Amino acid sequence: KLKNKMDDKIIKRLLNKYTNIIERLRGAGVIRTGKVVADYGEYIVSKKLNLTLADSSINKGYDAVDTKRRKYEIKTRKATAWNKPTISPVNSCQVSIADFLIYIEFDNKWNITKLLKIPVKKLTINKYKRIQISRDLVKKFSIL
């Protein structure tokens, strides 16, 4: 049973506003796929760190490169009104050819709350082939 009933016309109007917003952001090059949070994170990181985004938005192993051709895998999380982000484990194959793992986190209003630049060599892979980002790594590699 739904808590709030919403009129179908209102739902459609809101969804159309959302579609228009996404189309404008896509046209401006901010959004490259349908993954709004990930795309915006990549966009912000590329601007802040002067990186060039990879041609393919589904590139395996890295999302951007710097002027020295070093590769960056970018992971983005965003809080919502009902959920706080966690630096969830990253699959080790996602950083297998990257030189750096960038982690960017936004609050519910799209303000950056964490920005980490971690050399891949500093990451540890657990027995499940996942990378846990420890508090030590957060402290040591924060670039905010």
Side-chain angles (χ1 to χ4, degrees):
K1 192 173 180 180
L2 296 175
K3 286 182 182 178
N4 297 325
K5 287 192 175 185
M6 192 181 279
D7 183 87
D8 285 345
K9 287 180 185 175
I10 293 171
I11 294 169
K12 214 174 213 179
R13 191 172 2 173
L14 290 170
L15 289 171
N16 281 319
K17 281 184 183 181
Y18 174 78
T19 299
N20 291 335
I21 291 166
I22 296 302
E23 287 173 356
R24 285 185 66 192
L25 290 170
R26 191 173 170 91
V30 175
I31 305 298
R32 303 188 319 155
T33 69
K35 297 177 180 178
V36 177
V37 173
D39 286 349
Y40 185 59
E42 290 175 9
Y43 175 82
I44 290 295
V45 167
S46 71
K47 298 292 180 215
K48 283 195 164 296
L49 302 182
N50 194 28
L51 303 176
T52 302
L53 291 174
D55 290 335
S56 170
S57 58
I58 54 166
N59 208 327
K60 296 292 178 217
Y62 69 99
D63 298 305
V65 294
D66 64 18
T67 55
K68 296 177 182 173
R69 307 301 301 156
R70 293 179 296 191
K71 296 176 178 83
Y72 294 76
E73 177 65 19
I74 303 165
K75 293 294 169 198
T76 309
R77 303 288 185 266
K78 182 189 170 295
T80 60
W82 59 90
N83 188 17
K84 283 186 74 174
T86 58
I87 304 178
S88 59
V90 175
N91 195 322
S92 62
C93 72
Q94 293 178 305
V95 294
S96 60
I97 62 170
D99 298 296
F100 293 93
L101 171 64
I102 302 292
Y103 175 81
I104 184 169
E105 185 175 291
F106 298 103
D107 65 16
N108 195 38
K109 303 280 186 192
W110 296 97
N111 298 304
I112 300 170
T113 56
K114 278 191 183 83
L115 182 57
L116 312 174
K117 179 182 175 184
I118 308 170
V120 168
K121 292 174 186 163
K122 299 287 184 183
L123 299 170
T124 350
I125 299 167
N126 68 19
K127 65 181 179 182
Y128 304 107
K129 303 228 186 291
R130 308 285 275 174
I131 297 162
Q132 284 293 143
I133 300 174
S134 67
R135 287 189 180 141
D136 289 343
L137 288 176
V138 171
K139 277 184 192 171
K140 191 171 183 181
F141 295 105
S142 178
I143 56 173
L144 262 187

